[in-house]
């Protein structure tokens, strides 16, 4: 009899361990003043496209430069967009840009995106209000096999230099799908079972943007894809997320971005101080105009130096050249990039050899 009870217990434990996860209001929605710290992975990391039930997600090759970012969940009434989003009951921003906010209305059966405030390249601080038709970005309960599409519409406004207040309208659609669940493997010693993957794909098109007396801007198409892995029993935040976005105009990409973040430790990119250099100096640090990178080389080598932001994305290519024996000086113009923390990465003969933090004020 004891053996039979033990067998039933083992079966029960196993079934709980591999149970299909379900997203609900209580295990998905944050409340203020919550926060979550993410490790930023190399943005060139490859997405595992495996779909299906009880599958394996292999992310053993994820790497990081050691960067982190923090997401904050705050009271919307205490933010700059309080008057624009009076019905929001949660706002989210991050350490990447404290000016940017996403405003949501959270209920027992859904999460509705009401709009955002963001610093948009070429327009400055822009307010997007989905005041014609809000965007539903999650419905509860949500589990493997569930999917839906929602249409949304609203207005955009920004104060543009030499023009003043500029407004336009936009319409879009979003599709949310739980296309897989299973076990996510970070390394030989870290794997997480009962993980659900949620894929969010959206596309939005603006009306033409009137910039009188400047030339008008044709409609802009915004495409975004977010693929997130959730373990709802341990965290409301995704344990791993891939985000891709782009702006296109007349069929031409005018800007794009990608980022990968993880709540769990991942392996570092190999940083090996080799005998090529006798010294590396970066000054002034902090800087608000121009910084100097001084490399003392023991031998000639092919060197690729880049400036990365806190998402691990390339901001500037500082040089891609061959060093000479002795002193090599490279200037880094920071006058046109936003204040924040950046990283100067040095690759020798295709191999990552060093990284230096640079603060831009």
């Amino acid at each position: 009899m004891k053996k039979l009870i033990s067998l039933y217990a083992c079966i029960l434990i196993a079934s709980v361990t591999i149970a299909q996860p379900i997203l609900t209001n209580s295990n998905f929605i944050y409340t203020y003043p919550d926060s979550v710290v993410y490790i930023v992975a190399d943005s060139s990391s490859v997405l595992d496209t495996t779909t299906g039930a009880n599958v394996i997600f292999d992310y053993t090759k994820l790497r990081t430069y050691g960067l982190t970012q923090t997401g904050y969940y705050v009271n919307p009434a205490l933010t700059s967009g309080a008057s624009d989003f009076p019905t929001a009951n949660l706002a989210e921003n991050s350490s990447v840009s404290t000016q940017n906010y996403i405003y949501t209305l959270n209920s027992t059966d859904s999460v509705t995106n009401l709009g955002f405030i963001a610093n948009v390249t070429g327009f400055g601080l822009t307010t997007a209000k989905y005041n014609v038709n809000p965007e539903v970005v999650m419905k509860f309960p949500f589990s493997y096999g569930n999917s839906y599409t929602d249409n949304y519409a609203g207005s955009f406004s920004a104060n543009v230099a030499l023009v003043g207040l500029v407004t336009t309208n936009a319409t879009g659609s979003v599709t949310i799908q739980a296309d897989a669940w299973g076990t996510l493997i970070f390394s030989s010693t870290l794997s997480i079972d009962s993980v659900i993957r949620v894929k969010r794909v959206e596309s939005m098109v603006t009306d033409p943007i009137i910039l009188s007396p400047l030339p008008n801007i044709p409609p802009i198409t915004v495409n975004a894809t977010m693929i997130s892995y959730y373990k709802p029993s341990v965290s409301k935040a995704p344990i791993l997320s891939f985000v891709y976005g782009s702006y296109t105009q007349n069929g031409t990409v005018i800007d794009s971005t990608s980022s990968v973040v993880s709540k769990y430790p991942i392996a570092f990119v190999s940083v090996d101080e080799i005998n090529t250099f006798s010294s590396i100096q970066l000054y002034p640090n902090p800087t608000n105009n121009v910084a100097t990178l001084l490399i003392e080389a023991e031998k000639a080598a092919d060197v690729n130096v880049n400036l990365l932001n806190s998402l691990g994305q390339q901001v500037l290519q500082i040089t891609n050249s061959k060093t000479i024996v002795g002193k090599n000086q490279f200037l880094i113009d920071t006058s046109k990039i936003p204040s924040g923390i950046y990283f100067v990465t040095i690759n020798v003969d295709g191999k990552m050899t060093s990284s230096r933090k640079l603060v831009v004020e």
Side-chain angles (χ1 to χ4, degrees), residues 134-180:
E135 177 190 26
V136 178
V137 294
M138 178 54 65
K139 294 181 179 180
F140 304 119
F142 204 73
S143 60
Y144 170 64
N146 291 158
S147 67
Y148 68 91
T149 297
D150 188 58
N151 297 319
Y152 59 97
S155 62
F156 283 63
S157 62
N159 279 300
V160 179
L162 304 179
V163 176
L165 182 64
V166 173
T167 62
T168 191
N169 297 316
T171 58
S173 67
V174 59
T175 298
I176 312 291
Q177 179 185 16
D179 64 356

mmCIF file of all heavy atoms in Angstrom, residues 134-180:
data_model
loop_
_atom_site.group_PDB
_atom_site.id
_atom_site.type_symbol
_atom_site.label_atom_id
_atom_site.label_comp_id
_atom_site.label_asym_id
_atom_site.label_seq_id
_atom_site.Cartn_x
_atom_site.Cartn_y
_atom_site.Cartn_z
ATOM 1 N N PRO A 134 -8.434 51.827 -27.908
ATOM 2 C CA PRO A 134 -7.265 51.329 -27.164
ATOM 3 C C PRO A 134 -6.817 49.948 -27.656
ATOM 4 O O PRO A 134 -7.571 49.225 -28.313
ATOM 5 C CB PRO A 134 -7.758 51.277 -25.718
ATOM 6 C CG PRO A 134 -8.923 52.198 -25.666
ATOM 7 C CD PRO A 134 -9.570 52.089 -27.009
ATOM 8 N N GLU A 135 -5.572 49.594 -27.296
ATOM 9 C CA GLU A 135 -4.960 48.340 -27.752
ATOM 10 C C GLU A 135 -4.977 47.304 -26.634
ATOM 11 O O GLU A 135 -4.348 47.484 -25.587
ATOM 12 C CB GLU A 135 -3.517 48.619 -28.180
ATOM 13 C CG GLU A 135 -2.745 47.393 -28.618
ATOM 14 C CD GLU A 135 -1.267 47.677 -28.809
ATOM 15 O OE1 GLU A 135 -0.739 48.617 -28.174
ATOM 16 O OE2 GLU A 135 -0.633 46.950 -29.593
ATOM 17 N N VAL A 136 -5.675 46.205 -26.839
ATOM 18 C CA VAL A 136 -5.713 45.120 -25.859
ATOM 19 C C VAL A 136 -4.501 44.213 -26.100
ATOM 20 O O VAL A 136 -4.381 43.579 -27.148
ATOM 21 C CB VAL A 136 -7.015 44.315 -25.959
ATOM 22 C CG1 VAL A 136 -7.011 43.164 -24.955
ATOM 23 C CG2 VAL A 136 -8.212 45.230 -25.719
ATOM 24 N N VAL A 137 -3.586 44.160 -25.131
ATOM 25 C CA VAL A 137 -2.331 43.416 -25.320
ATOM 26 C C VAL A 137 -2.286 42.107 -24.536
ATOM 27 O O VAL A 137 -1.333 41.347 -24.665
ATOM 28 C CB VAL A 137 -1.115 44.291 -24.945
ATOM 29 C CG1 VAL A 137 -0.979 45.451 -25.913
ATOM 30 C CG2 VAL A 137 -1.207 44.790 -23.511
ATOM 31 N N MET A 138 -3.321 41.822 -23.737
ATOM 32 C CA MET A 138 -3.401 40.527 -23.056
ATOM 33 C C MET A 138 -4.818 40.296 -22.585
ATOM 34 O O MET A 138 -5.489 41.221 -22.122
ATOM 35 C CB MET A 138 -2.437 40.471 -21.870
ATOM 36 C CG MET A 138 -2.471 39.176 -21.072
ATOM 37 S SD MET A 138 -2.240 37.664 -22.075
ATOM 38 C CE MET A 138 -0.566 37.864 -22.661
ATOM 39 N N LYS A 139 -5.280 39.040 -22.729
ATOM 40 C CA LYS A 139 -6.577 38.627 -22.202
ATOM 41 C C LYS A 139 -6.360 37.449 -21.262
ATOM 42 O O LYS A 139 -5.511 36.600 -21.520
ATOM 43 C CB LYS A 139 -7.521 38.221 -23.337
ATOM 44 C CG LYS A 139 -7.928 39.357 -24.253
ATOM 45 C CD LYS A 139 -8.887 38.863 -25.338
ATOM 46 C CE LYS A 139 -9.332 39.988 -26.246
ATOM 47 N NZ LYS A 139 -10.269 39.511 -27.301
ATOM 48 N N PHE A 140 -7.136 37.414 -20.193
ATOM 49 C CA PHE A 140 -7.000 36.335 -19.201
ATOM 50 C C PHE A 140 -8.243 35.451 -19.192
ATOM 51 O O PHE A 140 -9.353 35.941 -19.408
ATOM 52 C CB PHE A 140 -6.787 36.938 -17.812
ATOM 53 C CG PHE A 140 -5.632 37.872 -17.717
ATOM 54 C CD1 PHE A 140 -5.823 39.203 -17.369
ATOM 55 C CD2 PHE A 140 -4.337 37.439 -17.975
ATOM 56 C CE1 PHE A 140 -4.770 40.080 -17.261
ATOM 57 C CE2 PHE A 140 -3.273 38.306 -17.880
ATOM 58 C CZ PHE A 140 -3.492 39.632 -17.522
ATOM 59 N N PRO A 141 -8.067 34.150 -18.901
ATOM 60 C CA PRO A 141 -6.780 33.437 -18.804
ATOM 61 C C PRO A 141 -6.191 33.214 -20.192
ATOM 62 O O PRO A 141 -6.926 33.172 -21.188
ATOM 63 C CB PRO A 141 -7.168 32.121 -18.145
ATOM 64 C CG PRO A 141 -8.579 31.896 -18.579
ATOM 65 C CD PRO A 141 -9.213 33.259 -18.660
ATOM 66 N N PHE A 142 -4.857 33.058 -20.258
ATOM 67 C CA PHE A 142 -4.170 32.902 -21.530
ATOM 68 C C PHE A 142 -3.197 31.740 -21.418
ATOM 69 O O PHE A 142 -2.354 31.708 -20.525
ATOM 70 C CB PHE A 142 -3.414 34.188 -21.874
ATOM 71 C CG PHE A 142 -3.158 34.361 -23.351
ATOM 72 C CD1 PHE A 142 -4.183 34.699 -24.210
ATOM 73 C CD2 PHE A 142 -1.884 34.195 -23.872
ATOM 74 C CE1 PHE A 142 -3.962 34.869 -25.571
ATOM 75 C CE2 PHE A 142 -1.647 34.362 -25.221
ATOM 76 C CZ PHE A 142 -2.684 34.701 -26.085
ATOM 77 N N SER A 143 -3.327 30.771 -22.315
ATOM 78 C CA SER A 143 -2.473 29.580 -22.249
ATOM 79 C C SER A 143 -2.107 29.125 -23.652
ATOM 80 O O SER A 143 -2.549 29.710 -24.656
ATOM 81 C CB SER A 143 -3.172 28.451 -21.485
ATOM 82 O OG SER A 143 -4.388 28.099 -22.124
ATOM 83 N N TYR A 144 -1.308 28.060 -23.729
ATOM 84 C CA TYR A 144 -0.827 27.554 -25.015
ATOM 85 C C TYR A 144 -1.982 27.288 -25.983
ATOM 86 O O TYR A 144 -2.984 26.678 -25.620
ATOM 87 C CB TYR A 144 -0.036 26.267 -24.797
ATOM 88 C CG TYR A 144 0.300 25.538 -26.074
ATOM 89 C CD1 TYR A 144 1.130 26.114 -27.033
ATOM 90 C CD2 TYR A 144 -0.238 24.273 -26.335
ATOM 91 C CE1 TYR A 144 1.420 25.448 -28.215
ATOM 92 C CE2 TYR A 144 0.060 23.602 -27.504
ATOM 93 C CZ TYR A 144 0.887 24.197 -28.455
ATOM 94 O OH TYR A 144 1.172 23.530 -29.609
ATOM 95 N N GLY A 145 -1.827 27.788 -27.213
ATOM 96 C CA GLY A 145 -2.862 27.623 -28.228
ATOM 97 C C GLY A 145 -3.796 28.806 -28.346
ATOM 98 O O GLY A 145 -4.492 28.942 -29.352
ATOM 99 N N ASN A 146 -3.832 29.679 -27.326
ATOM 100 C CA ASN A 146 -4.691 30.857 -27.390
ATOM 101 C C ASN A 146 -4.074 31.913 -28.309
ATOM 102 O O ASN A 146 -2.859 32.077 -28.361
ATOM 103 C CB ASN A 146 -4.885 31.465 -26.007
ATOM 104 C CG ASN A 146 -5.723 30.606 -25.078
ATOM 105 O OD1 ASN A 146 -5.640 30.739 -23.865
ATOM 106 N ND2 ASN A 146 -6.513 29.702 -25.639
ATOM 107 N N SER A 147 -4.936 32.649 -29.010
ATOM 108 C CA SER A 147 -4.473 33.758 -29.836
ATOM 109 C C SER A 147 -5.648 34.676 -30.134
ATOM 110 O O SER A 147 -6.812 34.259 -30.065
ATOM 111 C CB SER A 147 -3.852 33.260 -31.140
ATOM 112 O OG SER A 147 -4.837 32.662 -31.962
ATOM 113 N N TYR A 148 -5.335 35.918 -30.437
ATOM 114 C CA TYR A 148 -6.372 36.863 -30.847
ATOM 115 C C TYR A 148 -5.703 38.057 -31.537
ATOM 116 O O TYR A 148 -4.496 38.271 -31.423
ATOM 117 C CB TYR A 148 -7.214 37.343 -29.656
ATOM 118 C CG TYR A 148 -6.463 38.220 -28.684
ATOM 119 C CD1 TYR A 148 -6.451 39.606 -28.831
ATOM 120 C CD2 TYR A 148 -5.753 37.669 -27.629
ATOM 121 C CE1 TYR A 148 -5.744 40.412 -27.943
ATOM 122 C CE2 TYR A 148 -5.062 38.462 -26.739
ATOM 123 C CZ TYR A 148 -5.058 39.834 -26.902
ATOM 124 O OH TYR A 148 -4.351 40.626 -26.033
ATOM 125 N N THR A 149 -6.504 38.819 -32.271
ATOM 126 C CA THR A 149 -6.041 40.040 -32.935
ATOM 127 C C THR A 149 -6.930 41.194 -32.515
ATOM 128 O O THR A 149 -8.149 41.044 -32.396
ATOM 129 C CB THR A 149 -6.081 39.877 -34.465
ATOM 130 O OG1 THR A 149 -5.180 38.837 -34.856
ATOM 131 C CG2 THR A 149 -5.676 41.167 -35.163
ATOM 132 N N ASP A 150 -6.307 42.346 -32.254
ATOM 133 C CA ASP A 150 -7.057 43.525 -31.835
ATOM 134 C C ASP A 150 -6.615 44.724 -32.664
ATOM 135 O O ASP A 150 -5.420 44.903 -32.928
ATOM 136 C CB ASP A 150 -6.830 43.803 -30.347
ATOM 137 C CG ASP A 150 -7.732 44.910 -29.830
ATOM 138 O OD1 ASP A 150 -8.963 44.756 -29.954
ATOM 139 O OD2 ASP A 150 -7.212 45.917 -29.311
ATOM 140 N N ASN A 151 -7.572 45.545 -33.080
ATOM 141 C CA ASN A 151 -7.265 46.770 -33.811
ATOM 142 C C ASN A 151 -7.260 47.954 -32.856
ATOM 143 O O ASN A 151 -8.018 47.989 -31.881
ATOM 144 C CB ASN A 151 -8.294 47.007 -34.917
ATOM 145 C CG ASN A 151 -8.277 45.907 -35.960
ATOM 146 O OD1 ASN A 151 -7.216 45.446 -36.356
ATOM 147 N ND2 ASN A 151 -9.459 45.482 -36.402
ATOM 148 N N TYR A 152 -6.407 48.931 -33.138
ATOM 149 C CA TYR A 152 -6.352 50.107 -32.278
ATOM 150 C C TYR A 152 -6.097 51.354 -33.120
ATOM 151 O O TYR A 152 -5.657 51.279 -34.275
ATOM 152 C CB TYR A 152 -5.282 49.966 -31.198
ATOM 153 C CG TYR A 152 -3.869 49.754 -31.703
ATOM 154 C CD1 TYR A 152 -2.987 50.826 -31.827
ATOM 155 C CD2 TYR A 152 -3.399 48.482 -32.022
ATOM 156 C CE1 TYR A 152 -1.687 50.643 -32.268
ATOM 157 C CE2 TYR A 152 -2.101 48.284 -32.463
ATOM 158 C CZ TYR A 152 -1.244 49.372 -32.582
ATOM 159 O OH TYR A 152 0.044 49.174 -33.017
ATOM 160 N N ALA A 153 -6.404 52.515 -32.549
ATOM 161 C CA ALA A 153 -6.258 53.774 -33.279
ATOM 162 C C ALA A 153 -6.149 54.920 -32.294
ATOM 163 O O ALA A 153 -6.633 54.838 -31.160
ATOM 164 C CB ALA A 153 -7.445 53.990 -34.221
ATOM 165 N N GLY A 154 -5.481 55.990 -32.742
ATOM 166 C CA GLY A 154 -5.334 57.141 -31.860
ATOM 167 C C GLY A 154 -4.573 58.265 -32.519
ATOM 168 O O GLY A 154 -4.443 58.332 -33.745
ATOM 169 N N SER A 155 -4.038 59.158 -31.686
ATOM 170 C CA SER A 155 -3.371 60.356 -32.178
ATOM 171 C C SER A 155 -1.954 60.451 -31.626
ATOM 172 O O SER A 155 -1.650 59.937 -30.544
ATOM 173 C CB SER A 155 -4.160 61.601 -31.778
ATOM 174 O OG SER A 155 -4.214 61.711 -30.360
ATOM 175 N N PHE A 156 -1.079 61.109 -32.384
ATOM 176 C CA PHE A 156 0.298 61.368 -31.977
ATOM 177 C C PHE A 156 0.511 62.881 -31.960
ATOM 178 O O PHE A 156 0.002 63.597 -32.834
ATOM 179 C CB PHE A 156 1.286 60.754 -32.972
ATOM 180 C CG PHE A 156 1.462 59.273 -32.841
ATOM 181 C CD1 PHE A 156 0.409 58.405 -33.060
ATOM 182 C CD2 PHE A 156 2.692 58.745 -32.487
ATOM 183 C CE1 PHE A 156 0.563 57.037 -32.952
ATOM 184 C CE2 PHE A 156 2.862 57.382 -32.362
ATOM 185 C CZ PHE A 156 1.808 56.524 -32.593
ATOM 186 N N SER A 157 1.303 63.344 -30.997
ATOM 187 C CA SER A 157 1.630 64.769 -30.958
ATOM 188 C C SER A 157 3.044 64.954 -30.443
ATOM 189 O O SER A 157 3.527 64.188 -29.603
ATOM 190 C CB SER A 157 0.637 65.536 -30.073
ATOM 191 O OG SER A 157 0.710 65.072 -28.736
ATOM 192 N N ALA A 158 3.732 65.986 -30.976
ATOM 193 C CA ALA A 158 5.099 66.289 -30.549
ATOM 194 C C ALA A 158 5.394 67.745 -30.839
ATOM 195 O O ALA A 158 4.847 68.331 -31.786
ATOM 196 C CB ALA A 158 6.098 65.396 -31.272
ATOM 197 N N ASN A 159 6.258 68.339 -30.038
ATOM 198 C CA ASN A 159 6.733 69.690 -30.290
ATOM 199 C C ASN A 159 8.027 69.600 -31.089
ATOM 200 O O ASN A 159 9.063 69.185 -30.571
ATOM 201 C CB ASN A 159 6.964 70.445 -28.981
ATOM 202 C CG ASN A 159 5.677 71.009 -28.413
ATOM 203 O OD1 ASN A 159 5.006 71.808 -29.063
ATOM 204 N ND2 ASN A 159 5.322 70.573 -27.212
ATOM 205 N N VAL A 160 7.955 69.949 -32.358
ATOM 206 C CA VAL A 160 9.091 69.822 -33.266
ATOM 207 C C VAL A 160 9.761 71.170 -33.445
ATOM 208 O O VAL A 160 9.081 72.195 -33.642
ATOM 209 C CB VAL A 160 8.633 69.270 -34.635
ATOM 210 C CG1 VAL A 160 9.806 69.157 -35.600
ATOM 211 C CG2 VAL A 160 7.964 67.919 -34.446
ATOM 212 N N ALA A 161 11.086 71.181 -33.389
ATOM 213 C CA ALA A 161 11.846 72.416 -33.545
ATOM 214 C C ALA A 161 11.505 73.091 -34.867
ATOM 215 O O ALA A 161 11.353 72.425 -35.908
ATOM 216 C CB ALA A 161 13.339 72.111 -33.475
ATOM 217 N N LEU A 162 11.358 74.429 -34.856
ATOM 218 C CA LEU A 162 11.061 75.279 -36.014
ATOM 219 C C LEU A 162 9.627 75.155 -36.507
ATOM 220 O O LEU A 162 9.221 75.881 -37.412
ATOM 221 C CB LEU A 162 12.011 74.976 -37.191
ATOM 222 C CG LEU A 162 13.511 75.085 -36.906
ATOM 223 C CD1 LEU A 162 14.311 74.735 -38.172
ATOM 224 C CD2 LEU A 162 13.871 76.479 -36.434
ATOM 225 N N VAL A 163 8.871 74.232 -35.921
ATOM 226 C CA VAL A 163 7.488 74.026 -36.363
ATOM 227 C C VAL A 163 6.502 74.257 -35.226
ATOM 228 O O VAL A 163 5.482 74.924 -35.393
ATOM 229 C CB VAL A 163 7.305 72.606 -36.940
ATOM 230 C CG1 VAL A 163 5.846 72.357 -37.301
ATOM 231 C CG2 VAL A 163 8.188 72.408 -38.157
ATOM 232 N N GLY A 164 6.807 73.718 -34.059
ATOM 233 C CA GLY A 164 5.890 73.792 -32.932
ATOM 234 C C GLY A 164 5.125 72.495 -32.767
ATOM 235 O O GLY A 164 5.625 71.419 -33.116
ATOM 236 N N LEU A 165 3.897 72.564 -32.282
ATOM 237 C CA LEU A 165 3.109 71.371 -32.026
ATOM 238 C C LEU A 165 2.682 70.726 -33.339
ATOM 239 O O LEU A 165 2.073 71.355 -34.199
ATOM 240 C CB LEU A 165 1.876 71.713 -31.191
ATOM 241 C CG LEU A 165 0.975 70.526 -30.819
ATOM 242 C CD1 LEU A 165 1.722 69.552 -29.912
ATOM 243 C CD2 LEU A 165 -0.306 71.014 -30.141
ATOM 244 N N VAL A 166 3.011 69.430 -33.473
ATOM 245 C CA VAL A 166 2.664 68.657 -34.667
ATOM 246 C C VAL A 166 1.792 67.485 -34.234
ATOM 247 O O VAL A 166 2.115 66.791 -33.260
ATOM 248 C CB VAL A 166 3.927 68.138 -35.373
ATOM 249 C CG1 VAL A 166 3.565 67.195 -36.514
ATOM 250 C CG2 VAL A 166 4.752 69.302 -35.898
ATOM 251 N N THR A 167 0.694 67.247 -34.942
ATOM 252 C CA THR A 167 -0.190 66.130 -34.605
ATOM 253 C C THR A 167 -0.504 65.312 -35.855
ATOM 254 O O THR A 167 -0.488 65.832 -36.975
ATOM 255 C CB THR A 167 -1.515 66.613 -33.983
ATOM 256 O OG1 THR A 167 -2.208 67.414 -34.938
ATOM 257 C CG2 THR A 167 -1.258 67.417 -32.720
ATOM 258 N N THR A 168 -0.782 64.046 -35.645
ATOM 259 C CA THR A 168 -1.236 63.175 -36.722
ATOM 260 C C THR A 168 -1.998 62.014 -36.110
ATOM 261 O O THR A 168 -1.961 61.825 -34.881
ATOM 262 C CB THR A 168 -0.061 62.660 -37.577
ATOM 263 O OG1 THR A 168 -0.577 62.021 -38.754
ATOM 264 C CG2 THR A 168 0.776 61.638 -36.805
ATOM 265 N N ASN A 169 -2.686 61.251 -36.938
ATOM 266 C CA ASN A 169 -3.432 60.090 -36.469
ATOM 267 C C ASN A 169 -2.778 58.807 -36.955
ATOM 268 O O ASN A 169 -1.982 58.819 -37.908
ATOM 269 C CB ASN A 169 -4.881 60.152 -36.956
ATOM 270 C CG ASN A 169 -5.616 61.344 -36.400
ATOM 271 O OD1 ASN A 169 -5.507 61.650 -35.222
ATOM 272 N ND2 ASN A 169 -6.359 62.037 -37.254
ATOM 273 N N ALA A 170 -3.102 57.703 -36.314
ATOM 274 C CA ALA A 170 -2.521 56.412 -36.695
ATOM 275 C C ALA A 170 -3.499 55.295 -36.393
ATOM 276 O O ALA A 170 -4.330 55.395 -35.488
ATOM 277 C CB ALA A 170 -1.219 56.174 -35.934
ATOM 278 N N THR A 171 -3.407 54.217 -37.173
ATOM 279 C CA THR A 171 -4.190 53.010 -36.926
ATOM 280 C C THR A 171 -3.265 51.806 -36.960
ATOM 281 O O THR A 171 -2.235 51.814 -37.643
ATOM 282 C CB THR A 171 -5.286 52.820 -37.997
ATOM 283 O OG1 THR A 171 -4.682 52.759 -39.293
ATOM 284 C CG2 THR A 171 -6.288 53.953 -37.950
ATOM 285 N N GLY A 172 -3.619 50.772 -36.203
ATOM 286 C CA GLY A 172 -2.755 49.597 -36.169
ATOM 287 C C GLY A 172 -3.507 48.362 -35.724
ATOM 288 O O GLY A 172 -4.689 48.414 -35.389
ATOM 289 N N SER A 173 -2.791 47.248 -35.733
ATOM 290 C CA SER A 173 -3.352 45.997 -35.234
ATOM 291 C C SER A 173 -2.260 45.223 -34.508
ATOM 292 O O SER A 173 -1.065 45.357 -34.810
ATOM 293 C CB SER A 173 -3.919 45.154 -36.374
ATOM 294 O OG SER A 173 -2.882 44.710 -37.230
ATOM 295 N N VAL A 174 -2.674 44.420 -33.550
ATOM 296 C CA VAL A 174 -1.749 43.603 -32.777
ATOM 297 C C VAL A 174 -2.299 42.182 -32.722
ATOM 298 O O VAL A 174 -3.503 41.974 -32.593
ATOM 299 C CB VAL A 174 -1.545 44.170 -31.352
ATOM 300 C CG1 VAL A 174 -2.864 44.241 -30.586
ATOM 301 C CG2 VAL A 174 -0.521 43.350 -30.586
ATOM 302 N N THR A 175 -1.405 41.215 -32.855
ATOM 303 C CA THR A 175 -1.773 39.805 -32.721
ATOM 304 C C THR A 175 -0.957 39.195 -31.599
ATOM 305 O O THR A 175 0.269 39.315 -31.575
ATOM 306 C CB THR A 175 -1.516 39.034 -34.030
ATOM 307 O OG1 THR A 175 -2.334 39.581 -35.061
ATOM 308 C CG2 THR A 175 -1.851 37.557 -33.852
ATOM 309 N N ILE A 176 -1.654 38.573 -30.658
ATOM 310 C CA ILE A 176 -1.018 37.916 -29.517
ATOM 311 C C ILE A 176 -1.252 36.423 -29.638
ATOM 312 O O ILE A 176 -2.385 35.978 -29.850
ATOM 313 C CB ILE A 176 -1.601 38.412 -28.175
ATOM 314 C CG1 ILE A 176 -1.670 39.945 -28.144
ATOM 315 C CG2 ILE A 176 -0.802 37.884 -27.005
ATOM 316 C CD1 ILE A 176 -0.362 40.644 -28.082
ATOM 317 N N GLN A 177 -0.191 35.639 -29.488
ATOM 318 C CA GLN A 177 -0.311 34.189 -29.639
ATOM 319 C C GLN A 177 0.615 33.468 -28.663
ATOM 320 O O GLN A 177 1.784 33.826 -28.526
ATOM 321 C CB GLN A 177 0.054 33.779 -31.070
ATOM 322 C CG GLN A 177 -0.010 32.277 -31.329
ATOM 323 C CD GLN A 177 0.479 31.921 -32.729
ATOM 324 O OE1 GLN A 177 1.124 32.716 -33.390
ATOM 325 N NE2 GLN A 177 0.173 30.710 -33.160
ATOM 326 N N ALA A 178 0.088 32.473 -27.969
ATOM 327 C CA ALA A 178 0.913 31.581 -27.150
ATOM 328 C C ALA A 178 1.226 30.371 -28.024
ATOM 329 O O ALA A 178 0.416 29.462 -28.160
ATOM 330 C CB ALA A 178 0.180 31.170 -25.881
ATOM 331 N N ASP A 179 2.423 30.386 -28.648
ATOM 332 C CA ASP A 179 2.714 29.380 -29.663
ATOM 333 C C ASP A 179 3.552 28.210 -29.162
ATOM 334 O O ASP A 179 3.842 27.289 -29.925
ATOM 335 C CB ASP A 179 3.386 30.018 -30.875
ATOM 336 C CG ASP A 179 4.741 30.628 -30.556
ATOM 337 O OD1 ASP A 179 5.144 30.639 -29.373
ATOM 338 O OD2 ASP A 179 5.413 31.102 -31.500
ATOM 339 N N ALA A 180 3.941 28.237 -27.873
ATOM 340 C CA ALA A 180 4.754 27.127 -27.370
ATOM 341 C C ALA A 180 4.795 27.149 -25.849
ATOM 342 O O ALA A 180 4.582 28.183 -25.215
ATOM 343 C CB ALA A 180 6.173 27.201 -27.932
#
